[in-house]
Amino acid sequence: MTAVRLLILALLLAGRLAAQSLTAQNSDFDKIAGDSLPSAPVPMTTVAATTAHPRPKPERVFDKKFFAVMGALGGAESFRYTSRKLVLENEFDAGAPWVTSVPSNQQTIAKDFALYSSEFLAAYEIKKSHSWLPGDRVIRRLWWAYPAAMTAIHIKNAVGNVRTQGPGGCTSIACAQQMQTQ
């Protein structure tokens, strides 16, 4: 459920950013178009001759690849945090001395959301173009490297959490209690 909420929030933020950039582009176009549009129809040959510099195609930061990579990262993070919380709950219930309390859901969600938001923003900033940055084209091509690496790391950690065993190789509380009574 947490992953779904994070994905929805990420999509809402992405939609808002995309709408802001479109609004800015449209307002610039309206200023230019208002001054340069003729008041009467113009033959097609004249229009082709006057438009020597076509507008550059706006860049697309939010595309299918971006949402697929960031969705995979969000799913992997959700899997890791959920499995870790379950391990902590089971260790706390078993009386492990190193687990003094289980963090609340709100605390965990807030921390995890802040982490995912920062990763989402970093990937967005790396993928969009910057005129002041030398080597920008090379950097923009590698925007997916960090999210892909972190996805692999989160999945590896989550699988480790799932495979966590209690003392003596037990995987359930009942088994651990039987080991203590023997």
Side-chain angles (χ1 to χ4, degrees), residues 77-112:
E77 285 185 6
S78 178
F79 181 38
R80 177 178 180 247
Y81 297 133
T82 302
S83 63
R84 186 68 197 149
K85 182 146 173 55
L86 290 173
V87 167
L88 285 174
E89 287 174 355
N90 288 336
E91 288 179 345
F92 181 73
D93 291 341
W98 55 85
V99 181
T100 57
S101 66
V102 177
S104 68
N105 284 338
Q106 290 82 11
Q107 178 185 5
T108 305
I109 290 171
K111 181 184 74 164
D112 299 345

Side-chain angles (χ1 to χ4, degrees), residues 35-88:
D35 297 337
S36 62
L37 288 179
S39 57
V42 180
M44 201 57 160
T45 56
T46 309
V47 172
T50 58
T51 56
H53 301 289
R55 287 184 61 111
K57 187 177 180 181
E59 67 174 315
R60 292 188 55 168
V61 176
F62 296 116
D63 54 359
K64 291 177 186 178
K65 293 176 194 173
F66 186 81
F67 286 117
V69 170
M70 295 311 291
L73 177 61
E77 285 185 6
S78 178
F79 181 38
R80 177 178 180 247
Y81 297 133
T82 302
S83 63
R84 186 68 197 149
K85 182 146 173 55
L86 290 173
V87 167
L88 285 174

Side-chain angles (χ1 to χ4, degrees), residues 2-175:
T2 302
V4 173
R5 288 180 184 164
L6 289 175
L7 181 60
I8 290 172
L9 188 60
L11 290 173
L12 288 174
L13 291 173
R16 183 164 185 214
L17 289 173
Q20 287 176 352
S21 82
L22 285 176
T23 304
Q25 289 174 357
N26 287 342
S27 65
D28 293 341
F29 180 73
D30 291 341
K31 291 176 189 173
I32 295 169
D35 297 337
S36 62
L37 288 179
S39 57
V42 180
M44 201 57 160
T45 56
T46 309
V47 172
T50 58
T51 56
H53 301 289
R55 287 184 61 111
K57 187 177 180 181
E59 67 174 315
R60 292 188 55 168
V61 176
F62 296 116
D63 54 359
K64 291 177 186 178
K65 293 176 194 173
F66 186 81
F67 286 117
V69 170
M70 295 311 291
L73 177 61
E77 285 185 6
S78 178
F79 181 38
R80 177 178 180 247
Y81 297 133
T82 302
S83 63
R84 186 68 197 149
K85 182 146 173 55
L86 290 173
V87 167
L88 285 174
E89 287 174 355
N90 288 336
E91 288 179 345
F92 181 73
D93 291 341
W98 55 85
V99 181
T100 57
S101 66
V102 177
S104 68
N105 284 338
Q106 290 82 11
Q107 178 185 5
T108 305
I109 290 171
K111 181 184 74 164
D112 299 345
F113 176 71
L115 178 63
Y116 180 73
S117 298
S118 64
E119 290 172 336
F120 190 91
L121 181 63
Y124 169 77
E125 286 296 328
I126 291 171
K127 190 171 181 193
K128 80 175 190 178
S129 63
H130 301 291
S131 60
W132 53 269
L133 184 63
D136 184 46
R137 295 183 70 181
V138 174
I139 294 170
R140 285 190 303 150
R141 287 186 191 142
L142 299 174
W143 69 269
W144 55 268
Y146 174 76
M150 290 308 297
T151 299
I153 291 170
H154 283 304
I155 289 174
K156 182 181 180 295
N157 287 336
V159 169
N161 288 338
V162 170
R163 292 183 178 165
T164 300
Q165 296 181 351
C170 293
T171 57
S172 68
I173 296 172
C175 175

